[in-house]
Amino acid sequence: MVPDLNRAAREPDSSQVESFHLYNAADTNTSRSACERRNFAAAKIITDHLPPQDIDLRPSSRGLTTSCAFCPPLKAIPLASFYKLHRLPQIITMPEPEANGYTEINLPSQTSLLSSEMPERSPLNGVQNKLLEQVIRTPDRQPSPQPMHLNVPGASQHRILQEEGPGYVAPKFEGKDLQMDQVMDQIEEKGFIPPEFVESETNWFYNELGIDDMYFQTETVEAIVNHILSLYAGKVAAYARDDKRLEIRLDKEATDHAVYIDTSKPGVSVIDGPRYEQRIDEKYIDGSTSKNSYRVETFRSGSHLPGDKDQQLRCYFVYKCHFANPNPEPEETDLEIIGEKRFLQKATQNTKAIYQGVMNHAVGRTGPVIEMVDIEGSREKRLVIAYRQGSAMGFFSALSDLYHYYGVTSSRKYVEQFSNGITIMSIYLRPLPQSTSNAKHPPIEASIHQIMKEVSLLYCIPQNKFQGHFASGRLSLQETIYAHCVWVFVGHFLNRLGSEYASLVSILDPNNSVHAEMLSKIKRRLRTETFTSEYILEIINKHPDLIRSLYLAFANTHYVQTRGEQDDFIPTLSYLRLKVDKVLDDGELKTLISKSVANEHDEMVMTAFRVFNAGVLKTNFYTPTKVALSFRLNPNFLPEVEYPQPLFGMFLVISSEFRGFHLRFRDIARGGIRIVKSRNREAYSINARSLFDENYNLANTQQRKNKDIPEGGSKGVILLDHHHQDKARVAFEKYIDSIMDLLLPPTSPGIKDPIVDLHGQEEILFMGPDENTADLVNWATEHARKRGAPWWKSFFTGKSPKLGGIPHDAYGMTTLSVREYILGIYRKLNLNPDSVRKLQTGGPDGDLGSNEILLGNEKYSGIVDGSGVLVDPHGLDRDELVRLAKKRAMISEFNIKKLSPEGYRVLIDESNITLPSGEVVNNGTIFRNTFHLRGDKQFDLFVPCGGRPESIDLSTVQKLIVDGKSTIPYIVEGANLFITQDAKLRLEKAGCILYKDASANKGGVTSSSLEVLASLSFDDAGFMENMCIHEDGTVPPFYNAYVKEVQETIKKNAALEFEAIWREHQQTDIARSTLSDTLSIAITKLDEELQNTELWKNTELRMSVLQDALPKLLLEKIGLDMIMERVPDKYLRAIFGSFLASRFVYEHGSNPSQFAFFDFMSKRMARLSR
C-alpha cells in the first residue's frame, strides 16, 4: 500500500516547455535500428496518454541509445519529502504500437527492480529516499505462509486470458423465441406502449442489453413484461424532466432470486438513489454462509441509452445457490465438489482454471486472495478476489467506489459462492470512455496495480465512516480510512473529565484501593455525552482539507520505500502527473487547525489527530496484505490523573467487525483475550465508552495477580460492532493476525514489506483465553506457527494438550490456589472441614466450581449456578455433587430425591415456589440473583467460583451484616471482581476473614507462566516430544511429571502469600484485602528495580537464583545453560527479579526496614561462598 497523493493536476510551467518533435507517424526512415523504432513507438504511446505539459523535454541521462530501452519522458514533479513514490525502472522494453492504437506494456520482473547491477542515480529534485535500515529487517528469515495472498505485480509474468467473451456461457434457452412472442402479446394487451414500438422495445431488451439466457429461463413472462414496461416508462418520464435526464430504477425481489436494473454513468459512484449494490451486499452477500448463500451476476449494457450518450443500464441478477455438495470437508478445494450448480454449468474452462488457482490459496488464508488476469486482445483487466464468507461486510459495493476513483469502470461482475465457505468475485475492468475520462486518471495499465494493493486496505474496513468523501472523490481511500481510525481513537481518548475530576483526584489517594475504585466509578459517571461518537463524526466530516494535511503527516512518517528509486511495483504514471501538497510539521499543523476550525470543540477533535500521529510507533497500514489495521501506540499521551499506573505498551486494532485494544504494564507480560458482546445498540454504546477503561482495569488487576511470576499484567479486549455480534471468530482471527503483523519481521517482498518501527525493540506478547475465546486459542497457536513465529509455542496458553497446553480445568490449577487459602484458614483456626457449612456460587458445570466440589471436603449447604439455587441445611449429597462435577452439569440435573426434607431446589424459570420454611418464591431468576445476599447465618464459608462482577457492592453488603457482625465468617473470593473493594473492607470490619481474588485465584496464571517457560525452553522437536499429547492419546512421561511440579508450585506460592498476609494482619491490623494489594505493589515495584540493578550482572548470583526459580524438571531435562541460550534475556531478567522480590516481600512484609533487603541478600550471597 502506498499513500494516495491524488490531487489536482500540477499547472504547467510554460517557461519550460520547448518545441520538440517526439514522434512523426509519417517517418519511414528504414535506416533506424529496431531499438530506435521501439523508442519512437513508445513515445507515441506516451503522448497519446499524457497532455503536453506533462512531457519532460530535457535530454535523458540514462543513455537510451546504449541501453536500447525507452523510459517514458515524464516531467519529474518535485514530490515533498520522501513522497517521490513512483519512479520508472531502468529498463522497460516497449514494443511497436499495434493496429488497435494501444500497446500492452510488458512489466519488468521483480528481479530487475531489485537488481544490484542498476547504476546509482542521484535523487531527483533533491529528495532523498527513506533508509531501509530504519525499518525492521530480517534477511535470514525465509518466507512463511501469510494471512493473505497478493499476485505481486512485477513478480512474474501476468496471466493472459486467451478467451473471448465473459468467461461464462449460459445454457441456451430453447423457448426464448416463443417467450418473446408471448411477452410482446401481453405488452400489446396492456396498451401502455404504442403498438409500433412494442417489437423494437422488446428486441432492445432481449438482444441489446446483453442479458443472458439464464434470466429469461428463470423469470416469468409477466415479470419480463413488467421490466420492459418499467424501462419504457423511464424513457417517457425523462421527457417530462427539466434536465431531460433518463433515470430508470427497477427492482424485483423473490424468495430465491432478485433483479435490479438502474441507469449508470460509467466510472461514477451514485451516492443517492436506491443504492442497489449496497442492498445486494446487506441482503444477499454479507449474510452468506455455506448453508444459505447467493450468487450475483451484473453487467453494463453495451449500448448507450437513447438521448444520453453518457448513460448506460447496469443490470444485477441474484440467484440462490444450490451446491453440488453442500457439506464438503472444510479444506476441500475442488470446484467440481464445492461449486454452485449454475456456476459449474455456465463457467468456461478458463474461468474454472482461474478460480481453482485462487481457491487453492484462499482456503489457507485469513484474508483475501487477489489476482489479476489480462484479457488477450483487449485493455480489459479481470480482477479476481477470494475471501472467507462473512469476513468483509459491504465489500462488493465498496469495490465500485475504489475502481471509480482511479477512472476505471466495470463491464461485468460476478460473485460466486462455494460450499466450503469461500466467496470469489470476478470483476472485468476497462478504462473510461474518452468522453468521460478525466485527465488526472492514469492509464488502466498503471492504475490496476494501485487498485489491487488498495483492495487489501478496503477489505479491512469496506464501509468506513467517511465513505461519502471517498465515493465523491473528495478524499482518497487511504485518507478516509485514516480518518475512520482516528475517529475511533478520538472517541476513546478525548479528555472530557475536566478540572473537577483533577481536583477530586488531588483530594483522594489513588494508591488506596477503595479510593481508586471510587474514582473509577466517578470517572464513568463524568464521561458525559458532550462528545458522542456521532458528534465527533460530525466535526471531522466538516474538515476534509485538514484530514488531507494530517494524513500526509502520518504517511510521511510511516510509509517506507522498500525498493528505492524503483518503488513501487510498476511505473504508476498518475503520481508523476499530480500535484503533491506540502507535508506540514506538527507546529504548522497546529497553526493550520487553529485557523481552520470554527470553535473550541472542533479544535479539540482535530488536535486529537496530531496526538494520534505522534503516538503511533508502528502500523501495518502500508503493509501490502492485511486483514485489520493495527497500531502500536506510545501510551504516554494518557493523562496521569486518569491513569496513574503507566502502561508499557498499547495496541489499537480496528476492523469493520470490531475494535480492540491490547494493553500491558510491562515489556514481558501475560493476560487473556476476551470478546465483549452487546445485546443491543444501547449496550454497545455503553460498552464502547468503557472499553479502554475496562481493558486498563483488567490489565491492572492482572498485574497485581501476577506477583509470583515473571510476566507482568496484560489484557486484550475485542468489542464486536453492534451489527456483527455473530462475528466473534472472524474478529478474533483478524485481531490476532494484525497484531502479529507488528510483531513479526517481513518475510515476503510485496506481501509483508518492512514497516517503520519507531519503537525499535523486539516485542513478544503472551496471551491466553478469556471470555468467549477459550475455543479459539488452538487456531491462534497454529496460525503463529504457520506465519513462522519463533515463539509460536508460547504465544497462547490454554491451548490443547496436543499443542503442549496445560488445561487449567482438567488439572484444577486455579482451584488449587483457592483451596490453599481455605485450608490455611482451617489450619490457623483449627476448624474441622466436615462441619463447615459451605455456600458456593458457580456450579458443577464450571471450571472453578466443579474442581472446588471435587477437591473440597466441607458440608455443602448451598450452590448457586446459572440454572438456579440448590440448598440443603443437612448437607447436599456428596456423591451426587461429584457426579455432576465430573459430568460438568448444572444443578438442574441434581436428583432432588437425595435432598433432606429441609432441602430444596429453585430453578430460574420457576415461579410461586413454596420453600420448606413456608417462604414463597415468586420469581426464580430474582431468587437466584439475590440468594448470596440472604443474611440468615446459615453458612460458615462462602466461596464465589462464578457470578457477575460487583455482585456484592457497598449498596448490598449491609444485607450480609447483622448487628455489626458479618453473617458469613469466612470468604475466599475465587471469582474475579465478585465483591467490590469497599464492600470487602466493610465485611472485614464486621469480622469476616476475607481473602480477595487477586491473591486467591492466582493458580491459573502460575500454571500459564510455567507452560510458557517450558515452551520457550524446549526447541520445536523437544517440545513436540515432551510437552505434546500424541495423536493416539499417549501422554509423554515428562508432561505428567511437569504438571505435578506445576501443581506443587501453585500450592507453595499460595501458601507463602497466605502466611505473609495473615502474619502482617496480625501485626498491623490492616485489612487483608488492603494487604493483598500492598504486597502486590511492593513485589512488582521491587521486581522492576532488581531487573535494572547490577545484581543481574553478578554471574554467580544470577545462576544461583535461576537454579532456585526454574522448575527442577526443566533443569534436569534441558540444563541451565541451554535454557539461558533459548529463553529471551528479558524473560530471564523477569524471572530473576520476580523470584527475589516475591521471596523477600513474603518473608519481610510490604513495609520492611531499610536493612531488611541487605540482610536478605547477604544470606543469599553467603550461600554462594559455601
Side-chain angles (χ1 to χ4, degrees):
M1 185 60 56
V2 297
D4 190 312
L5 306 175
N6 203 353
R7 299 289 175 267
R10 173 178 294 274
E11 293 296 325
D13 184 355
S14 59
S15 64
Q16 296 183 7
V17 177
E18 305 168 21
S19 177
F20 184 74
H21 189 67
L22 276 176
Y23 185 83
N24 183 356
D27 186 357
T28 57
N29 189 344
T30 57
S31 64
R32 301 188 189 278
S33 66
C35 173
E36 290 173 314
R37 289 199 302 273
R38 282 197 299 270
N39 290 343
F40 275 97
K44 181 179 186 302
I45 297 166
I46 297 303
T47 53
D48 286 345
H49 281 127
L50 299 181
Q53 64 266 25
D54 284 346
I55 306 297
D56 191 347
L57 306 176
R58 292 166 295 179
S60 171
S61 60
R62 303 168 84 176
L64 296 180
T65 55
T66 57
S67 65
C68 282
F70 175 78
C71 291
L74 305 180
K75 183 173 293 182
I77 292 177
L79 304 183
S81 186
F82 38 81
Y83 273 88
K84 184 169 55 57
L85 304 178
H86 296 279
R87 298 301 180 209
L88 295 171
Q90 182 187 13
I91 298 177
I92 301 180
T93 304
M94 306 292 284
E96 301 278 359
E98 297 178 359
N100 56 14
Y102 73 89
T103 299
E104 183 160 345
I105 300 174
N106 293 322
L107 302 176
S109 69
Q110 191 172 26
T111 306
S112 68
L113 292 179
L114 301 172
S115 173
S116 60
E117 298 179 0
M118 286 187 179
E120 295 185 3
R121 293 184 290 152
S122 60
L124 300 175
N125 306 310
V127 180
Q128 295 290 338
N129 287 323
K130 181 175 292 185
L131 294 178
L132 205 50
E133 286 70 21
Q134 295 175 352
V135 298
I136 302 173
R137 311 206 60 158
T138 308
D140 56 334
R141 288 284 300 282
Q142 295 300 312
S144 59
Q146 301 298 337
M148 172 176 164
H149 176 82
L150 178 68
N151 183 2
V152 183
S156 60
Q157 184 66 37
H158 286 308
R159 182 171 185 166
I160 298 178
L161 186 61
Q162 297 177 335
E163 177 180 72
E164 295 183 3
Y168 286 79
V169 178
K172 185 176 181 181
F173 178 31
E174 299 295 343
K176 187 174 180 180
D177 291 338
L178 176 61
Q179 182 194 66
M180 189 173 172
D181 289 338
Q182 294 172 343
V183 166
M184 287 189 286
D185 290 342
Q186 287 201 18
I187 292 175
E188 286 185 3
E189 288 176 10
K190 292 183 180 293
F192 291 113
I193 300 178
E196 61 270 24
F197 292 150
V198 169
E199 185 173 357
S200 61
E201 289 296 320
T202 306
N203 270 321
W204 176 70
F205 184 81
Y206 266 80
N207 300 319
E208 294 187 34
L209 293 186
I211 302 175
D212 69 19
D213 283 9
M214 181 70 72
Y215 163 81
F216 296 107
Q217 194 165 2
T218 304
E219 290 294 346
T220 63
V221 170
E222 291 76 11
I224 297 172
V225 168
N226 287 333
H227 292 169
I228 295 174
L229 290 174
S230 298
L231 294 175
Y232 183 79
K235 297 177 186 178
V236 174
Y239 288 97
R241 295 173 58 128
D242 291 336
D243 58 4
K244 302 301 180 185
R245 180 183 173 192
L246 178 58
E247 191 172 81
I248 296 172
R249 284 166 180 170
L250 182 153
D251 61 84
K252 176 197 172 184
E253 296 175 348
T255 55
D256 61 347
H257 72 283
V259 177
Y260 305 93
I261 301 176
D262 192 12
T263 45
S264 170
K265 183 177 180 180
V268 176
S269 294
V270 180
I271 299 175
D272 54 2
R275 298 173 68 83
Y276 288 139
E277 291 196 351
Q278 284 76 9
R279 191 190 301 189
I280 291 170
D281 263 329
E282 293 169 5
K283 189 165 184 176
Y284 299 106
I285 300 178
D286 289 351
S288 284
T289 66
S290 57
K291 307 297 182 186
N292 182 36
S293 55
Y294 294 83
R295 61 185 299 271
V296 180
E297 298 182 11
T298 171
F299 54 86
R300 183 178 299 280
S301 62
S303 58
H304 296 288
L305 293 178
D308 192 342
K309 65 178 181 179
D310 291 333
Q311 291 267 73
Q312 294 175 318
L313 280 185
R314 167 68 78 177
C315 304
Y316 302 88
F317 302 97
V318 182
Y319 302 100
K320 188 174 179 62
C321 291
H322 299 281
F323 294 108
N325 181 353
N327 300 297
E329 294 296 322
E331 301 301 315
E332 181 60 64
T333 60
D334 189 340
L335 297 189
E336 298 298 329
I337 296 175
I338 60 178
E340 200 271 342
K341 291 180 180 178
R342 285 191 185 90
F343 164 76
L344 295 175
Q345 189 178 26
K346 294 179 65 175
T348 64
Q349 289 304 313
N350 275 327
T351 293
K352 289 180 180 179
I354 293 170
Y355 280 30
Q356 187 65 68
V358 171
M359 178 65 71
N360 293 339
H361 287 296
V363 293
R365 305 286 173 178
T366 309
V369 173
I370 306 166
E371 295 274 4
M372 190 270 283
V373 181
D374 288 317
I375 308 298
E376 187 179 42
S378 167
R379 295 184 70 189
E380 196 168 63
K381 311 291 179 182
R382 187 174 182 181
L383 187 63
V384 183
I385 305 167
Y387 61 95
R388 294 191 177 276
Q389 289 173 345
S391 66
M393 302 302 181
F395 195 42
F396 175 68
S397 55
L399 280 168
S400 297
D401 294 336
L402 176 59
Y403 57 71
H404 288 167
Y405 184 81
Y406 285 98
V408 175
T409 189
S410 64
S411 57
R412 302 180 299 283
K413 295 189 282 191
Y414 299 90
V415 180
E416 301 293 355
Q417 309 287 356
F418 296 88
S419 58
N420 64 347
I422 298 295
T423 298
I424 298 182
M425 293 183 183
S426 183
I427 305 172
Y428 288 75
L429 298 175
R430 59 175 56 168
L432 289 176
Q434 202 66 34
S435 59
T436 58
S437 180
N438 192 313
K440 74 176 183 178
H441 295 135
I444 190 173
E445 289 78 12
S447 60
I448 183 64
H449 300 287
Q450 186 68 14
I451 293 170
M452 288 177 66
K453 290 180 290 178
E454 294 200 15
V455 166
S456 168
L457 186 60
L458 191 69
Y459 173 82
C460 297
I461 309 177
Q463 300 290 335
N464 69 74
K465 289 294 182 178
F466 305 93
Q467 193 78 13
H469 284 300
F470 174 47
S472 66
R474 182 72 182 271
L475 292 174
S476 69
L477 178 65
Q478 296 95 325
E479 288 163 341
T480 55
I481 290 185
Y482 161 78
H484 178 98
C485 293
V486 183
W487 169 73
V488 173
F489 174 86
V490 174
H492 289 293
F493 299 114
L494 192 63
N495 184 3
R496 51 195 184 273
L497 295 183
S499 58
E500 294 83 0
Y501 181 80
S503 300
L504 189 60
V505 170
S506 66
I507 297 171
L508 300 177
D509 178 12
N511 294 319
N512 183 307
S513 54
V514 178
H515 291 187
E517 187 170 312
M518 186 184 301
L519 284 170
S520 177
K521 291 179 179 178
I522 292 173
K523 185 195 296 184
R524 288 201 295 269
R525 293 287 181 90
L526 288 177
R527 289 197 185 280
T528 62
E529 297 299 310
T530 306
F531 284 95
T532 63
S533 61
E534 291 78 13
Y535 183 42
I536 295 170
L537 183 63
E538 179 185 333
I539 290 173
I540 298 174
N541 259 317
K542 291 191 297 185
H543 301 287
D545 292 334
L546 284 180
I547 292 173
R548 184 178 301 119
S549 297
L550 289 158
Y551 168 75
L552 282 176
F554 169 81
N556 186 47
T557 300
H558 293 285
Y559 178 73
V560 59
Q561 286 180 259
T562 56
R563 279 162 281 276
E565 289 290 331
Q566 284 69 45
D567 203 15
D568 203 345
F569 296 120
I570 63 132
T572 307
L573 309 180
S574 60
Y575 293 110
L576 296 178
R577 306 199 327 247
L578 302 179
K579 177 181 177 181
V580 178
D581 293 342
K582 178 186 177 184
V583 180
L584 304 179
D585 61 30
D586 189 62
E588 292 171 320
L589 285 171
K590 181 179 180 181
T591 302
L592 179 63
I593 291 171
S594 298
K595 291 180 179 179
S596 303
V597 298
N599 55 55
E600 182 183 1
H601 282 184
D602 287 22
E603 184 167 11
M604 288 176 66
V605 170
M606 299 313 296
T607 297
F609 277 71
R610 291 174 46 231
V611 176
F612 176 81
N613 285 358
V616 177
L617 298 177
K618 51 184 173 179
T619 176
N620 69 346
F621 194 92
Y622 296 112
T623 301
T625 61
K626 52 192 167 289
V627 295
L629 297 172
S630 55
F631 304 89
R632 168 61 162 94
L633 298 169
N634 185 340
N636 64 3
F637 67 87
L638 295 174
E640 185 178 355
V641 68
E642 292 188 51
Y643 306 100
Q645 184 73 15
L647 286 168
F648 178 87
M650 176 195 303
F651 288 85
L652 169 62
V653 185
I654 301 172
S655 178
S656 57
E657 296 87 3
F658 72 95
R659 63 182 65 178
F661 289 98
H662 186 274
L663 309 178
R664 73 190 199 273
F665 282 92
R666 284 199 203 160
D667 188 4
I668 301 297
R670 200 200 69 80
I673 309 298
R674 67 170 52 181
I675 295 175
V676 177
K677 298 182 177 181
S678 309
R679 295 186 304 275
N680 49 46
R681 192 182 189 105
E682 182 182 357
Y684 172 79
S685 297
I686 294 171
N687 289 335
R689 285 197 299 271
S690 62
L691 175 63
F692 181 80
D693 284 352
E694 177 186 348
N695 199 159
Y696 179 90
N697 292 331
L698 287 168
N700 204 5
T701 300
Q702 193 76 32
Q703 170 81 352
R704 294 195 299 271
K705 191 185 296 186
N706 289 9
K707 60 179 78 70
D708 295 325
I709 63 176
E711 299 98 340
S714 72
K715 208 73 172 182
V717 178
I718 300 169
L719 175 64
L720 295 178
D721 186 83
H722 66 278
H723 292 303
H724 303 297
Q725 293 298 301
D726 58 339
K727 295 292 187 296
R729 185 180 187 91
V730 170
F732 179 83
E733 291 181 0
K734 290 186 175 184
Y735 174 89
I736 294 299
D737 189 77
S738 59
I739 287 180
M740 289 178 65
D741 284 344
L742 304 186
L743 302 179
L744 291 172
T747 55
S748 305
I751 304 297
K752 291 296 179 185
D753 279 348
I755 61 175
V756 176
D757 184 6
L758 301 180
H759 181 58
Q761 298 178 18
E762 181 185 15
E763 292 187 283
I764 302 176
L765 301 184
F766 302 103
M767 302 178 179
D770 206 313
E771 292 178 12
N772 300 311
T773 61
D775 59 337
L776 301 173
V777 297
N778 285 350
W779 175 89
T781 303
E782 292 285 13
H783 188 63
R785 175 158 59 175
K786 288 178 181 177
R787 286 201 59 179
W791 29 259
W792 69 269
K793 303 186 299 295
S794 60
F795 186 38
F796 258 86
T797 57
K799 53 188 177 288
S800 163
K802 291 184 178 181
L803 293 171
I806 302 176
H808 297 172
D809 56 348
Y811 297 102
M813 298 304 191
T814 306
T815 308
L816 285 172
S817 178
V818 174
R819 290 300 305 170
E820 202 60 39
Y821 283 83
I822 296 171
L823 296 174
I825 293 173
Y826 296 163
R827 187 172 61 253
K828 293 293 183 182
L829 302 179
N830 295 316
L831 297 177
N832 180 5
D834 293 338
S835 62
V836 174
R837 298 170 301 167
K838 182 177 181 180
L839 168 66
Q840 177 179 312
T841 56
D845 60 312
D847 166 14
L848 194 55
S850 62
N851 282 302
E852 180 63 28
I853 291 171
L854 295 174
L855 296 177
N857 55 351
E858 299 84 7
K859 183 170 75 172
Y860 268 95
S861 298
I863 293 180
V864 181
D865 72 1
S867 65
V869 178
L870 182 67
V871 175
D872 195 330
H874 297 285
L876 295 165
D877 185 273
R878 176 160 181 79
D879 291 339
E880 181 67 0
L881 287 179
V882 169
R883 180 185 72 82
L884 294 181
K886 289 182 176 179
K887 185 182 177 182
R888 290 292 177 90
M890 288 186 170
I891 58 171
S892 56
E893 296 189 28
F894 187 92
N895 185 355
I896 58 175
K897 294 180 180 179
K898 297 190 176 184
L899 292 173
S900 71
E902 288 79 21
Y904 59 86
R905 183 184 67 188
V906 179
L907 302 180
I908 57 173
D909 56 355
E910 295 179 332
S911 59
N912 299 319
I913 302 296
T914 302
L915 304 183
S917 64
E919 178 186 355
V920 177
V921 176
N922 295 316
N923 185 294
T925 300
I926 295 175
F927 185 73
R928 188 277 309 271
N929 291 345
T930 59
F931 183 81
H932 63 282
L933 298 173
R934 294 168 68 89
D936 47 10
K937 299 185 179 180
Q938 58 179 319
F939 306 110
D940 302 312
L941 171 68
F942 178 26
V943 183
C945 294
R948 295 173 300 170
E950 302 186 3
S951 291
I952 302 175
D953 60 16
L954 201 57
S955 64
T956 58
V957 70
Q958 286 302 124
K959 296 180 180 181
L960 298 176
I961 299 174
V962 178
D963 299 329
K965 291 288 185 181
S966 172
T967 59
I968 302 177
Y970 323 116
I971 298 178
V972 178
E973 189 182 24
N976 281 323
L977 306 175
F978 188 85
I979 310 173
T980 64
Q981 182 70 6
D982 48 11
K984 290 186 181 86
L985 297 179
R986 189 65 61 87
L987 286 167
E988 289 204 59
K989 189 176 181 180
C992 178
I993 296 176
L994 189 152
Y995 282 90
K996 68 182 296 182
D997 53 349
S999 294
N1001 71 4
K1002 65 181 182 178
V1005 301
T1006 303
S1007 173
S1008 295
S1009 178
L1010 292 173
E1011 179 186 327
V1012 167
L1013 180 60
S1015 303
L1016 294 171
S1017 301
F1018 280 109
D1019 59 13
D1020 284 6
F1023 183 76
M1024 299 296 290
E1025 178 184 351
N1026 294 288
M1027 285 297 295
C1028 296
I1029 306 295
H1030 302 153
E1031 289 296 331
D1032 60 0
T1034 305
V1035 181
F1038 180 88
Y1039 183 92
N1040 278 330
Y1042 190 68
V1043 167
K1044 291 178 181 177
E1045 186 171 6
V1046 170
Q1047 292 173 325
E1048 291 304 314
T1049 302
I1050 289 171
K1051 292 192 283 187
K1052 181 180 179 181
N1053 288 342
L1056 284 172
E1057 184 173 358
F1058 173 86
E1059 293 293 340
I1061 292 174
W1062 188 279
R1063 181 183 65 248
E1064 195 150 344
H1065 172 75
Q1066 296 289 91
Q1067 294 171 355
T1068 65
D1069 204 32
I1070 298 174
R1072 293 178 177 86
S1073 299
T1074 301
L1075 289 173
S1076 174
D1077 291 336
T1078 55
L1079 281 174
S1080 296
I1081 293 170
I1083 291 173
T1084 54
K1085 184 178 180 181
L1086 180 59
D1087 177 7
E1088 291 168 0
E1089 292 174 352
L1090 288 172
Q1091 291 185 44
N1092 298 312
T1093 63
E1094 295 296 316
L1095 292 175
W1096 172 256
K1097 296 180 180 178
N1098 186 322
T1099 305
E1100 284 187 90
L1101 176 63
R1102 181 169 70 237
M1103 302 289 278
S1104 171
V1105 171
L1106 292 177
Q1107 283 280 2
D1108 292 342
L1110 296 173
K1112 304 304 177 192
L1113 280 172
L1114 283 181
L1115 290 169
E1116 293 170 3
K1117 188 75 175 179
I1118 302 173
L1120 180 58
D1121 291 339
M1122 186 58 69
I1123 291 175
M1124 292 183 69
E1125 181 180 327
R1126 290 173 178 168
V1127 178
D1129 183 72
K1130 291 179 181 179
Y1131 199 91
L1132 292 173
R1133 281 178 178 265
I1135 293 174
F1136 176 85
S1138 64
F1139 182 82
L1140 284 178
S1142 61
R1143 272 28 183 194
F1144 170 74
V1145 173
Y1146 288 153
E1147 183 179 334
H1148 295 275
S1150 59
N1151 191 25
S1153 69
Q1154 55 184 326
F1155 299 108
F1157 188 73
F1158 175 79
D1159 180 59
F1160 174 79
M1161 290 305 302
S1162 296
K1163 292 177 181 178
R1164 176 162 280 280
M1165 298 300 291
R1167 286 170 49 190
L1168 297 179
S1169 60
R1170 293 180 191 150

